[in-house]
């Protein structure tokens, strides 16, 4: 029923730090609606991909999922109701802020706000990146993917797969349970993990069209090593080359490139690890970090590699063809 991750909804006590990071470091575009209070953040031609409100309380992040039309939204509401989730219609103000035609919201088993919306408008102006980048890979693949640490793995797996209609891409149940789920050609739109830690947002992945834009973002993070939550590396499943940048609210942006896509004939796979190389999780306790390094050494000894599938919209290629 869900087409894509459409946008995220942020409440933050660190408004100015968000403006600085998303504009200057990541290269998105901020549109301030009320100075210090509300802003939309753009990543493409859409009117927004993040709606951000200042708060004096704890930071929060919620997700907006896109459905094609009003009747699919109704079907989602019915399925959610049958599964025991109460949906609430968005207010006129919330709908206006998001630039959608209609929206309903509900709360998942971990207390996270989820929205179902359709008709996200295009902006009236061209996307103007905060630094010179070749744009983000969005379109029918949606904004990117979100990975969640959950305290209710079975309930969330049921919610995304059986209620909202996402499909399993791959999974592992050792050393803890993880499932990656898709709802369009993007390899995964949602990842859920049960690690035994309290529920939290782990990261939002944004995908650059151009590899050099990942490298430049990494260069900008290097003088401040504490800002790098996971070092440069390549994922074993979606094949993203990426690193993870901590954001002002304590969760992370994965900034990546060249994820592979999945089609209707995809068969779910069990994963041998999380990464082909790199992706050292700087925040892990030493013994866990060493375990992760051993997995990388084993995969390297096996000679496991993956082809790079270039995204069709990468601007470097267009430039090369012109030369
Ligand atoms: Fe990711």
């Amino acid at each position: 029923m869900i087409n894509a991750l459409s946008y995220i909804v942020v409440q933050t006590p660190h408004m100015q730090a968000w403006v600085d990071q998303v504009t200057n470091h990541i290269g998105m575009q901020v549109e301030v609606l009320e100075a210090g209070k509300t802003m939309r953040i753009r990543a493409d031609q859409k009117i927004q991909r993040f709606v951000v409100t200042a708060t004096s309380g704890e930071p929060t992040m919620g997700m907006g999922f896109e459905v094609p039309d009003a009747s699919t939204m109704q079907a989602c509401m019915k399925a959610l109701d049958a599964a025991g989730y109460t949906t609430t219609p968005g207010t006129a103000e919330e709908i206006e802020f998001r630039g959608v035609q209609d929206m309903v919201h509900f709360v998942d088993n971990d207390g996270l706000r989820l929205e179902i919306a359709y008709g996200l408008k295009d902006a009236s102006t061209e996307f103007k990146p905060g630094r010179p980048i070749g744009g983000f890979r969005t379109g029918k693949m949606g904004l990117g993917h979100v990975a969640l640490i959950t305290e209710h793995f079975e309930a969330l797996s049921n919610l995304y797969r059986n209620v909202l209609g996402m499909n399993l891409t791959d999974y592992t149940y050792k050393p803890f349970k993880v499932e990656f789920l898709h709802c369009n050609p993007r390899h995964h739109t949602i990842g859920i993990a049960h690690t035994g830690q309290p529920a939290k947002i782990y990261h939002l992945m944004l995908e650059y069209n151009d590899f050099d834009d990942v490298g430049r973002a990494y260069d900008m993070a290097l003088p401040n090593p504490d800002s790098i939550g996971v070092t440069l590396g390549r994922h074993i499943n979606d094949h993203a080359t990426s690193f993870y940048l901590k954001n002002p609210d304590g969760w992370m942006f994965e900034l990546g490139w060249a994820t592979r896509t999945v089609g209707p004939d995809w068969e779910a796979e069990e994963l041998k690890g999380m990464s082909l190389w790199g992706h050292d999780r700087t925040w892990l306790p030493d013994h866990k970090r060493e375990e992760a390094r051993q997995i990388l050494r084993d995969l390297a000894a096996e000679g496991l590699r993956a082809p790079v599938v270039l995204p069709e919209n990468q601007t470097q290629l267009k430039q090369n063809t012109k030369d």
Side-chain angles (χ1 to χ4, degrees), residues 12 59 80 188 232:
T12 180
L80 284 163
H188 59 280
L232 193 67

Side-chain angles (χ1 to χ4, degrees), residues 145 188 203 205 235 244 254:
H145 70 237
H188 59 280
H203 67 265
M205 196 280 288
H235 277 304
Y244 293 48
E254 177 183 4

Side-chain angles (χ1 to χ4, degrees), residues 10 73 110 124 161 165 207 253 259 316:
V10 172
M73 194 167 91
D110 291 318
S124 53
R161 292 171 68 177
E207 186 171 356
F253 292 117
T259 64
Q316 282 168 338

Side-chain angles (χ1 to χ4, degrees), residues 3 21 31 36 48 62 85 111 134-135 164 184 195 206 215 254 262 272 279-280 282 287 294 300 303 313:
N3 274 354
Q21 186 178 60
E31 188 207 2
Q48 56 86 8
Y85 297 93
L164 298 176
N184 60 42
T195 62
L206 299 168
E254 177 183 4
V262 296
K272 287 181 170 180
H279 283 157
D280 190 18
T282 59
H287 69 286
Q294 188 54 48
N313 52 349

Side-chain angles (χ1 to χ4, degrees), residues 58-100:
E58 288 293 303
T60 64
M61 189 277 238
M63 286 178 273
F65 292 105
E66 175 193 287
V67 289
D69 49 34
S71 63
T72 314
M73 194 167 91
Q74 290 295 330
C76 272
M77 288 164 70
K78 219 172 143 190
L80 284 163
D81 187 58
Y85 297 93
T86 310
T87 53
T88 308
T91 63
E93 199 186 349
E94 286 171 334
I95 287 166
E96 162 73 24
F97 187 20
R98 286 153 182 73
V100 294

Side-chain angles (χ1 to χ4, degrees), residues 11 18 47 54 59 101 131 155-156 172 218 267 284 318:
Q11 287 189 300
W18 267 82
I47 189 168
Q101 225 168 309
R131 67 178 171 93
L156 280 207
T172 178
Y218 200 55
E267 282 177 29
L284 275 180
K318 286 180 203 148

